[in-house]
Amino acid sequence: MITFFPGPSRVYPQVAQWLQEAYQEGILSISHRSQRFNELSEKTITLLKQKLNIPADYCVLYTSSATENWEIISQSFAQKQTLHYYNGSFGERWYEYAKHILPATLGFSFGIQETIAVERIKQDITTDTEIICITQNETSNGTQWKLDKLQALRQAFPQQLIAVDTTSSMAGLALPFETADIWYASVQKCFGLPAGLGLLVLSPKAVAHGLQKDDGGRYNSFKKMYSNIKKWQTNYTPSVLHIYLLYKVLETMPTIQEVHQTVLSRAIAYKNAVQNATSIQLLIQNEEAISDTVIAVAATPSVIEKCKKEAKEVGILLGNGYGEWKENTFRIANFPALQDDEVALMLNLLKKW
Ligand SMILES: *Cc1c(COP(=O)(O)O)cnc(C)c1O
């Protein structure tokens, strides 16, 4: 079965071989305080920055998931209040985690066909707001903040930190890292790896904020993480296997500009196919709001059932709808690990529907 689920998602076919190699190279039992680990970790972070175009002065940390990053952001980078905009399940969950940690957290929901203007944020923000939090790609309903809008946000709010959930776009799109301070992802989406590793990318400004807050005594306290990563290490025993797999993926991956172009041209093909189909339609009609890495397709529940069944017959597993969209949508992961022939198979189905 070829899975088009947007996470956990299709892993790169080479993963099978890399797992074997990890075992043979004896990497699975190395100590996370050893020279060998330090070298693997250093070269992985160095290559990540190089391949994804992350500025040299940014800090990259290993965590265990995107969900964990939600907690770390409120616990380590804010004292009083973060400000959230959400239109789907992941953004909303981030807001809820944040509110649990900092009760003064502000959150505003918006419609799936809408976008949030800078002017609107100027009205909502307070003198206590330290971080503006946006879900760049909302995996649950296939919406996104266009990347070219981040620059305007940066210019309008030079004082606050800007945090961006890119769990389902990092390593798929060329992200403008210099326009925000906190970026994160987990590897089971666009990285094409099995779940179990999160990444947190921080600007020098975010690091400076983090060092001001006393967040000691916690599992992934930023201060502790920061002192460990200077030695390329983590606070806890990490999944060395995942770090190894991440290195391997990065090593084989083309430049992010090239990946970005592939993702965009496939996105256009998917959108055209759905728009030309008769029984299905795009859930997101607004060009400014529709995602490039997760395509949500809407239809009646019976058509959705039929599509899933027909897809299965040709070996394709469609992504289920999520949350309130469970019955009347399916989702197509437009992630780089999907191969050209698999994309062609998917497009043929869409054209038929
Ligand atoms: C998948 C996803 C998450 C959660 O990721 P975990 O690794 O399961 O914690 C958070 N945000 C978005 C946008 C996601 O797609």
Side-chain angles (χ1 to χ4, degrees), residues 91-227:
E92 183 171 13
R93 258 197 268 163
W94 182 5
Y95 165 55
E96 273 159 12
Y97 273 85
K99 199 165 50 168
H100 186 79
I101 296 165
L102 298 172
T105 295
L106 293 176
F108 298 95
S109 69
F110 61 102
I112 57 169
Q113 314 291 353
E114 284 170 41
T115 57
I116 299 290
V118 165
E119 298 313 312
R120 157 79 202 267
I121 304 176
K122 282 185 181 158
Q123 287 166 15
D124 296 332
I125 207 160
T126 78
T127 50
D128 282 345
T129 305
E130 298 151 275
I131 314 182
I132 300 168
C133 299
I134 60 170
T135 303
Q136 190 270 325
N137 199 73
E138 176 52 76
T139 319
S140 68
N141 54 26
T143 54
Q144 73 170 349
W145 285 61
K146 290 257 179 258
L147 294 172
D148 56 16
K149 283 173 59 191
L150 292 172
Q151 183 64 39
L153 200 60
R154 171 79 295 163
Q155 276 164 1
F157 304 102
Q159 302 224 290
Q160 288 77 12
L161 295 177
I162 299 172
V164 196
D165 183 340
T166 49
T167 307
S168 52
S169 54
M170 190 186 289
L173 299 179
L175 302 174
F177 285 99
E178 65 292 343
T179 59
D181 303 291
I182 301 175
W183 300 80
Y184 60 89
S186 41
V187 296
Q188 75 274 19
K189 313 263 166 102
C190 288
F191 284 94
L193 291 176
L197 179 70
L199 292 167
L200 187 58
V201 178
L202 305 166
S203 73
K205 187 169 137 194
V207 168
H209 273 245
L211 291 175
Q212 276 166 21
K213 185 168 174 182
D214 181 14
D215 67 351
R218 287 188 307 99
Y219 166 60
N220 258 338
S221 128
F222 168 68
K223 275 190 178 154
K224 268 193 273 172
M225 280 201 282
Y226 191 64
S227 69

